[in-house]
Amino acid sequence: MVNENLKTAPDDSHRIATTDDIEVSTYLEIAKEMGGEQPAATEEAVSGAEREAIIVLDFGSQYSLLIARRVRECQVYCELLPHDTPWEKIVPLNPKGFILSGGPASVYAPDAPLAPAYVYESHLPVLGICYGMQVITKQLGGQVTPGTKREYGHAILHLSEVDSPLFTALPDSTPVWMSHGDKIEEMPPDFSTLAYTENSPFAVIGNGSGIFGLQFHPEVAHTPEGKTILRNFVYRICGCRGNWKMGNFVSESMDRIKEQVGSGKVILALSGGVDSSVVATLIHRAVGDQLTCIFVNNGLLRREEAERTLKVFQTNLGMNIIYVDATDRFLDRLKGVIDPEQKRKIIGEEFIRVFEEEASKIGKVNFLAQGTLYPDVIESVSSISTASAKIKSHHNVGGLPAKMTLNLLEPLRYLFKDEVRQVGAELGLPEEIVWRQPFPGPGLAIRCVGEVTKEKLEILRGADFILMNEIKKAKYYRQLWQSFCVITDVKSVGVMGDYRTYSYLIAIRAVTSDDVMTADWARLPYDLLARISNRIVNVVPEVNRVVYDITSKPPSTIEWE
Ligand code: XMP
């Protein structure tokens, strides 16, 4: 069988980070509600004399964050900022160049967003992508007109200026991904065409003073040489040296944590997910026992999860951990509840209560550490938000603690998920933690269709344990965005030996995804699926039927609830 989407699915290092780990979604909310202070300005992220950054000015494209990711993959620090960010906020980052993102607007509309004057007056290199190119065209005296038809999809780019530094190491012709309605009618004075496609005579333009425009999207996977173009821009045109390395990040970040925390005390909710684990380890390295982690077992974790997390952080790393088994509290409150949103709300509320109770026993605490990542920061300051966020509440917080007033410690707030994994590896965390698939805050409760009972949870854990085991053995774990079992509320008839059975139906869900907003069901090999199904029905007696979910997102979501 051909595993189409697995072969083409990007590996984890190409993922876009999400808010799916418990710590991100929960604690951002807690801290906001607690009135916690936001950390210092963005320049904190890059330190030292070598500081250099590429600034992506965001005009609202769905790919804007991806541009920043691609630049970071070139080891150059990059921030995505709103298109109207004032110059004073940009200077401390020591910008080496600007990228103007794509966007949904039309430059000839009366209120069309444009680039601030400093973009041109700073004499730094500029790369406009799609709408960004049209912005440059309009602002520098060219002409943009509405396209008669939208150009969407693949095109072949032909280079006319093969010697342009933007094209170093590029073949003469290469596929690119187009997605635009408006088009350039007339280039600004002093600009020339550097490359063209069949439908776009101005597919790449430039002016010889470091200002370029691309009609296509170099940041998407469908433009295979896109990263080479971006790399050429940041290295050959902006003169960046590529000092954004995770090894540097670890030592610089530890220094900053020491300075910020002083002799204060820090608390952190540890979930065992990669974000909270990396934050915990980083802070522990910096300030040792001044950090206390609270690990709440809500009774909705997977098999052996609590034990494994404690073993790594308490036994092996010697961290100060308060372990709370609050299983009964959570399950009591979930009795009779079948509505998924209600489940989320209850779990969120109860979590805060437990956390608050435990934190109050520690005495005076000054900081709340949390694993906020860069996409969460972006999401909170711009209008970029995931479609899924509107479909599910996606957080675990109901009632929030009002009593605590803590400062926030968010050492990962400038990192993407794949960078967090690199930091985890730098810190020597076990692979099992560094590469953990996202696990939702409400845990198994939203994989237990209908009422959450101890019995159903145990069955689900048994099946899920087998699935994980087989997926890892077959070396699919890292290729999959997520893989898990769902216990349905359906029982069906089966036959085992000479007996009729009437037992639970388990569904397997395994998806690949780039950005969590869309996901494809993974084309797992039949023999792997057969092995998983066979083992589940043989080892978990309450299950007599296993099905594989072959729906993508959209129209489905990744989780069943
Ligand atoms: P859906 O099901 O919306 O999930 O496609 C997208 C991603 O979000 C995770 N997820 C959650 N994470 N609290 C979380 O912390 C939640 O309530 C929640 N619901 C879904 C899901 O596992 C997937 O990674």
Side-chain angles (χ1 to χ4, degrees):
M1 184 185 170
V2 185
N3 299 315
E4 272 307 327
N5 66 345
L6 289 176
K7 267 197 298 182
T8 53
D11 65 27
D12 280 291
S13 65
H14 293 272
R15 280 177 171 184
I16 289 187
T18 66
T19 53
D20 40 28
D21 281 0
I22 182 171
E23 62 278 8
V24 173
S25 41
T26 308
Y27 291 101
L28 195 63
E29 299 283 340
I30 301 176
K32 264 191 227 153
E33 195 69 16
M34 288 192 301
E37 246 172 45
Q38 289 296 317
T42 47
E43 68 262 31
E44 288 282 305
V46 261
S47 63
E50 290 189 309
R51 180 184 298 175
E52 60 180 24
I54 295 292
I55 308 300
V56 180
L57 292 179
D58 185 16
F59 289 93
S61 158
Q62 55 175 323
Y63 303 128
S64 297
L65 202 55
L66 204 49
I67 306 173
R69 276 276 309 273
R70 295 286 172 257
V71 174
R72 295 254 193 114
E73 283 166 14
C74 300
Q75 254 105 49
V76 172
Y77 184 69
C78 182
E79 279 206 25
L80 175 67
L81 295 171
H83 69 89
D84 53 358
T85 302
W87 178 235
E88 303 78 67
K89 279 207 166 171
I90 293 191
V91 181
L93 293 166
N94 195 18
K96 296 287 182 191
F98 292 101
I99 298 179
L100 311 183
S101 84
S106 255
V107 282
Y108 54 82
D111 52 353
L114 296 172
Y118 63 71
V119 167
Y120 309 106
E121 288 167 1
S122 64
H123 297 292
L124 290 170
V126 186
L127 180 71
I129 296 175
C130 201
Y131 179 79
M133 177 202 214
Q134 292 155 13
V135 165
I136 291 172
T137 305
K138 171 158 186 197
Q139 290 186 295
L140 297 187
Q143 218 191 331
V144 180
T145 53
T148 43
K149 60 175 193 234
R150 200 173 163 75
E151 191 182 6
Y152 184 81
H154 282 292
I156 300 292
L157 183 78
H158 303 282
L159 310 188
S160 32
E161 283 289 336
V162 287
D163 293 335
S164 167
L166 199 61
F167 297 150
T168 302
L170 231 62
D172 289 352
S173 301
T174 180
V176 293
W177 182 258
M178 294 281 188
S179 174
H180 64 105
D182 295 352
K183 62 175 195 268
I184 288 166
E185 197 61 43
E186 195 184 308
M187 288 183 289
D190 303 328
F191 274 72
S192 58
T193 306
L194 307 181
Y196 60 93
T197 66
E198 198 183 329
N199 291 326
S200 295
F202 307 120
V204 181
I205 61 171
N207 75 346
S209 318
I211 302 186
F212 296 90
L214 308 178
Q215 186 62 84
F216 57 88
H217 288 272
E219 68 276 22
V220 302
H222 303 295
T223 302
E225 293 291 347
K227 202 166 148 191
T228 312
I229 296 173
L230 289 171
R231 175 176 284 275
N232 286 337
F233 177 70
V234 300
Y235 281 99
R236 292 174 192 277
I237 292 160
C238 301
C240 292
R241 282 159 300 167
N243 54 12
W244 179 245
K245 303 208 171 84
M246 289 306 113
N248 303 350
F249 175 88
V250 170
S251 59
E252 286 173 11
S253 171
M254 277 169 55
D255 289 346
R256 268 201 302 273
I257 293 168
K258 276 185 202 153
E259 199 182 311
Q260 203 182 339
V261 171
S263 57
K265 272 192 174 181
V266 187
I267 49 166
L268 170 134
L270 185 69
S271 72
V274 61
D275 305 340
S276 71
S277 299
V278 170
V279 175
T281 314
L282 204 54
I283 297 176
H284 184 247
R285 284 266 180 96
V287 298
D289 282 349
Q290 286 166 253
L291 169 72
T292 303
C293 299
I294 299 173
F295 180 31
V296 179
N297 184 344
N298 57 11
L300 303 164
L301 304 176
R302 285 165 296 189
R303 185 182 284 176
E304 293 183 4
E305 206 165 355
E307 296 82 350
R308 284 183 197 203
T309 307
L310 285 176
K311 184 161 180 276
V312 171
F313 293 97
Q314 200 166 45
T315 316
N316 299 356
L317 296 176
M319 284 189 202
N320 231 336
I321 302 209
I322 298 175
Y323 172 71
V324 197
D325 186 352
T327 302
D328 291 339
R329 282 176 70 157
F330 280 85
L331 295 192
D332 279 351
R333 286 208 57 199
L334 286 169
K335 257 191 201 129
V337 178
I338 53 167
D339 175 57
E341 286 301 287
Q342 191 63 19
K343 287 180 184 175
R344 281 187 171 80
K345 188 162 179 281
I346 290 171
I347 295 163
E349 276 173 12
E350 203 53 35
F351 187 89
I352 298 302
R353 276 189 207 148
V354 177
F355 185 80
E356 204 179 17
E357 280 169 26
E358 293 305 321
S360 68
K361 293 180 195 160
I362 303 174
K364 172 111 182 91
V365 173
N366 315 80
F367 293 90
L368 173 72
Q370 60 180 20
T372 312
L373 302 194
Y374 194 49
D376 305 301
V377 175
I378 300 283
E379 205 170 305
S380 65
V381 297
S382 83
S383 56
I384 302 168
S385 64
T386 59
S388 52
K390 293 173 197 121
I391 293 159
K392 299 178 184 180
S393 58
H394 267 228
H395 65 73
N396 324 299
V397 186
L400 300 164
K403 291 181 226 118
M404 298 185 220
T405 42
L406 297 175
N407 291 317
L408 279 183
L409 196 58
E410 298 177 308
L412 309 181
R413 68 184 269 115
Y414 299 102
L415 301 192
F416 288 108
K417 190 92 160 189
D418 53 317
E419 293 173 327
V420 173
R421 291 191 204 276
Q422 286 174 46
V423 172
E426 281 285 335
L427 289 166
L429 281 173
E431 286 218 349
E432 150 188 1
I433 286 178
V434 171
W435 289 103
R436 207 179 90 137
Q437 290 175 355
F439 185 65
L444 299 182
I446 55 167
R447 295 176 180 175
C448 218
V449 179
E451 187 181 1
V452 181
T453 63
K454 271 194 173 159
E455 186 215 3
K456 276 164 79 184
L457 284 171
E458 250 339 278
I459 299 169
L460 177 57
R461 282 193 186 102
D464 198 68
F465 193 75
I466 292 168
L467 171 82
M468 277 304 146
N469 200 275
E470 290 294 338
I471 293 277
K472 284 182 181 168
K473 246 184 7 200
K475 305 223 179 309
Y476 277 97
Y477 186 77
R478 283 199 201 178
Q479 286 186 63
L480 298 173
W481 173 265
Q482 275 171 298
S483 46
F484 55 88
C485 286
V486 174
I487 183 162
T488 67
D489 235 3
V490 171
K491 283 187 172 182
S492 70
V493 174
V495 54
M496 273 188 192
D498 294 329
Y499 296 96
R500 173 189 189 271
T501 57
Y502 186 59
S503 321
Y504 277 107
L505 170 69
I506 286 280
I508 297 171
R509 184 81 165 131
V511 296
T512 55
S513 176
D514 246 348
D515 56 11
V516 90
M517 287 161 68
T518 60
D520 197 7
W521 61 278
R523 273 50 160 187
L524 292 176
Y526 284 163
D527 56 354
L528 174 60
L529 287 169
R531 223 169 24 249
I532 294 166
S533 160
N534 202 36
R535 273 193 68 195
I536 290 177
V537 290
N538 277 302
V539 176
V540 189
E542 301 86 350
V543 178
N544 68 354
R545 194 177 296 270
V546 177
V547 295
Y548 188 44
D549 181 346
I550 54 165
T551 29
S552 295
K553 172 185 176 178
S556 293
T557 53
I558 296 176
E559 304 288 348
W560 274 35
E561 290 203 330

